[in-house]
Amino acid sequence: MTQVTEHGGGVWSLRVPIPDNPLGHTLVHVLDTDRGPVLVDTGWDDPASWTELTAGLGALGIGAGDVHGVVITHHHPDHHGLSGRVREESGAWIAMHAADTAVVRRTRESDPATWLDYLARKLAAAGAPEDHLAPLRAARSGGRMRTLPGLGAALPDREIVPGELLDLAGRRLRAVWTPGHTPGHVCLHLEERHPAGLPGHGRLFSGDHLLPGISPHIGLYEDPDDSTVTDPLGDYLDALERIGRLGVAEVLPAHQHAFPDAAGRVRELLDHHEDRLSGLLALLTTPLTPWQLAERMEWNRPWDRIPYGSRNIAVSEAEAHIRRLVKLGRAEAVTGTEPVTYVAV
């Protein structure tokens, strides 16, 4: 595939690689405005990724110093990672939803050991075995947490306000809050006629919320200092329905490729999650911890072949689904169990 794709109407996408990740790359979108180019996401903070980003911009006759602004769909490092480098080169502003800005600020200000302690407690409460917890304790004592991505992510200097148009000269780009993948994930609705005349109401920069062939990870929101019982999967499903009602002509996601029929893809994802919740209820005829449930869930490979870090993500996704089932009154915690088990009702 070519590194630069023209989508018409002053919009391009650039393929920026993600090191050692099966997704392969992030699609960074470039939006021409009357004050200069604006990026939607920036890619992973890595020398090779920076080289590809600047090469892609160069192919459009844009230098890194020419960037006017950066709009971030969500705080994950394959989207927000290079934002600080872009701002250093150009003085560009960086905009993000307040909920994800809070995550960035909290991560920057917290002692890295706090996050390892939190993750170890969280996994232990989910029923993780001791041999899974031991490496976390070793990483804490060895200080390896400081090498992980996202600990020094750039603090945004503008807030994306849901429902409002962003301040982009000559363009109509409206923020749509779509929590679930992260608490502050946003999609960005370009309320302009499709350049190829496709039927529908504009185009949608969908970040990770709506992808053509992948269901994005929906896990528990991470916050060591917050005991609020959130429902990320419920948030995601509600936001999917909101996006489906927009009637956009085309979706420009942050991974894979552009596609039409957002409403059709929304229906597929809603059906997928309903089927998955029904499948989990069948598993929960026997009381299970979140870890035990994750071991039995269907993934893209057998559990014994899932890497260590991906198991943490899988357990978080199992917990998010359990939260949803409990909120719907279809499952409940078994009183007196530790770690806590859940059962269908």
Side-chain angles (χ1 to χ4, degrees):
M1 293 177 66
T2 58
Q3 187 199 359
V4 179
T5 301
E6 183 175 4
H7 297 283
V11 177
W12 300 263
S13 60
L14 314 177
R15 289 163 49 90
V16 177
I18 311 171
D20 303 317
N21 189 294
L23 278 175
H25 61 272
T26 301
L27 293 175
V28 173
H29 290 92
V30 183
L31 181 63
D32 190 27
T33 81
D34 291 347
R35 296 194 189 107
V38 168
L39 305 184
V40 178
D41 294 332
T42 57
W44 193 277
D45 185 7
D46 178 81
S49 304
W50 175 253
T51 297
E52 290 298 302
L53 175 63
T54 54
L57 290 171
L60 300 176
I62 300 168
D66 300 325
V67 175
H68 172 62
V70 175
V71 182
I72 299 298
T73 60
H74 62 293
H75 72 81
H76 286 165
D78 56 323
H79 297 257
H80 182 43
L82 283 170
S83 301
R85 181 76 182 272
V86 171
R87 183 164 62 188
E88 288 173 6
E89 295 285 332
S90 64
W93 47 263
I94 301 173
M96 183 183 286
H97 186 282
D100 271 19
T101 297
V103 176
V104 172
R105 180 175 290 106
R106 186 168 60 244
T107 305
R108 287 170 55 98
E109 294 174 353
S110 295
D111 185 320
T114 299
W115 288 93
L116 278 179
D117 290 341
Y118 166 71
L119 185 57
R121 288 195 309 272
K122 182 170 173 287
L123 286 166
E130 180 56 36
D131 62 356
H132 188 85
L133 300 174
L136 291 172
R137 299 190 178 110
R140 187 193 192 289
S141 62
R144 292 198 296 276
M145 184 73 171
R146 297 185 184 279
T147 65
L148 295 179
L151 294 179
L155 271 174
D157 41 69
R158 290 191 182 185
E159 180 180 342
I160 296 175
V161 179
E164 292 190 3
L165 289 171
L166 279 74
D167 181 20
L168 303 184
R171 309 305 300 246
R172 289 185 59 84
L173 189 67
R174 191 177 303 276
V176 184
W177 185 34
T178 50
H181 186 56
T182 71
H185 191 291
V186 293
C187 292
L188 301 151
H189 187 192
L190 189 61
E191 298 178 339
E192 302 170 8
R193 183 178 179 274
H194 192 281
L198 294 183
H201 185 36
R203 292 180 280 179
L204 186 77
F205 298 103
S206 65
D208 282 0
H209 181 72
L210 193 63
L211 303 170
I214 301 171
S215 176
H217 165 67
I218 308 296
L220 295 188
Y221 301 142
E222 305 289 353
D223 186 349
D225 303 317
D226 190 356
S227 58
T228 303
V229 179
T230 58
D231 180 18
L233 182 55
D235 292 345
Y236 175 69
L237 297 175
D238 289 346
L240 270 181
E241 293 185 345
R242 211 159 42 241
I243 289 300
R245 290 192 293 268
L246 290 177
V248 297
E250 187 176 28
V251 180
L252 303 174
H255 302 288
Q256 299 189 298
H257 54 82
F259 63 99
D261 193 16
R265 181 60 180 146
V266 163
R267 287 192 298 272
E268 290 176 356
L269 287 167
L270 291 172
D271 290 344
H272 162 76
H273 282 286
E274 184 56 40
D275 289 346
R276 192 163 210 194
L277 288 170
S278 297
L280 298 189
L281 281 174
L283 292 172
L284 289 173
T285 53
T286 300
L288 297 172
T289 66
W291 181 277
Q292 291 169 333
L293 184 61
E295 288 179 314
R296 291 159 174 78
M297 289 170 68
E298 184 176 337
W299 305 105
N300 61 358
R301 69 192 87 177
W303 183 257
D304 60 5
R305 291 172 52 200
I306 295 178
Y308 180 91
S310 297
R311 290 188 180 192
N312 296 339
I313 294 171
V315 172
S316 182
E317 189 154 324
E319 289 181 297
H321 280 75
I322 289 173
R323 287 270 181 93
R324 185 65 185 156
L325 289 170
V326 170
K327 185 169 183 179
L328 292 172
R330 298 164 75 180
E332 64 183 12
V334 178
T335 304
T337 55
E338 189 178 346
V340 65
T341 60
Y342 294 85
V343 66
V345 294

